[in-house]
Amino acid sequence: MREIPTTLHELATGDESDLQIVLPWTGPAVDPETGALREPLPEQYLIATSVGWPKPGLEELGGRLNGAILEELWTREGLIAASVAVSPNNFNASRNLVLWRDEESLNGFLHSPVHLDAARQTRGLMFDWEGTNWTGTDRTTFPTFAESRARLDAVRASGDSPYASHG
């Protein structure tokens, strides 16, 4: 068995060459038939991303909590689109990208009772996690998981993350 990294930096720089999209782009802005944008994205929107490394043996509970979070996500006003990917090679790193109309929409989701409850329960299920958000201006293509990883790397290097690590 591989030794589990002991720091967020070690987890975050792990090999994710096997990153698998488990939920392709979905949401109000996405054509369900093609997976493409229905129309150009707004001139400005918010891109939120997070990644967590779940502890083994807690997959069932983690799956239920993720299910509750996704169910809440699909009902939120201001959601544009979302995608989720997993890297089995990097301790099952679970990455998400979510596009929001604005910061108010993102905050409404983050502070919803369902998300807050799941986040509290998730703390003990993860080796660690991190997240950030930024303003998007590309109106014709979705951000990529490589871009979100680079953004998280930059935030971690600066020590200025809007989301705290739970290490």
Side-chain angles (χ1 to χ4, degrees):
M1 182 172 190
R2 292 184 299 161
E3 192 171 314
I4 297 167
T6 58
T7 68
L8 175 60
H9 178 77
E10 288 174 313
L11 286 162
T13 57
D15 175 20
E16 290 185 11
S17 58
D18 67 338
L19 193 69
Q20 305 164 13
I21 305 295
V22 295
L23 177 65
W25 285 105
T26 307
V30 182
D31 180 327
E33 299 291 319
T34 66
L37 286 168
R38 292 181 193 265
E39 57 190 44
L41 292 165
E43 286 188 33
Q44 283 196 336
Y45 51 94
L46 201 63
I47 303 167
T49 190
S50 67
V51 57
W53 294 268
K55 293 177 181 175
L58 301 171
E59 294 84 1
E60 186 179 327
L61 177 57
R64 281 198 313 270
L65 294 173
N66 282 336
I69 289 171
L70 286 173
E71 196 173 302
E72 175 71 11
L73 179 71
W74 303 131
T75 67
R76 299 307 298 189
E77 182 69 30
L79 173 71
I80 296 173
S83 182
V84 177
V86 173
S87 171
N89 191 54
N90 188 13
F91 299 94
N92 289 315
S94 178
R95 293 187 175 273
N96 67 65
L97 275 165
V98 184
L99 308 184
W100 294 97
R101 180 181 58 224
D102 51 32
E103 193 167 350
E104 182 180 358
S105 301
L106 169 60
N107 286 333
F109 170 70
L110 292 176
H111 295 101
S112 68
V114 169
H115 185 267
L116 289 173
D117 181 55
R120 275 191 290 277
Q121 291 185 59
T122 300
R123 282 185 177 189
L125 303 178
M126 298 284 194
F127 290 118
D128 217 330
W129 75 273
E130 63 181 341
T132 193
N133 64 73
W134 67 96
T135 301
T137 56
D138 183 336
R139 301 189 66 206
T140 59
T141 59
F142 291 115
T144 66
F145 284 101
E147 179 184 4
S148 72
R149 189 171 179 176
R151 292 275 181 161
L152 286 165
D153 290 347
V155 169
R156 191 177 335 98
S158 74
D160 189 28
S161 177
Y163 308 134
S165 166
H166 288 154

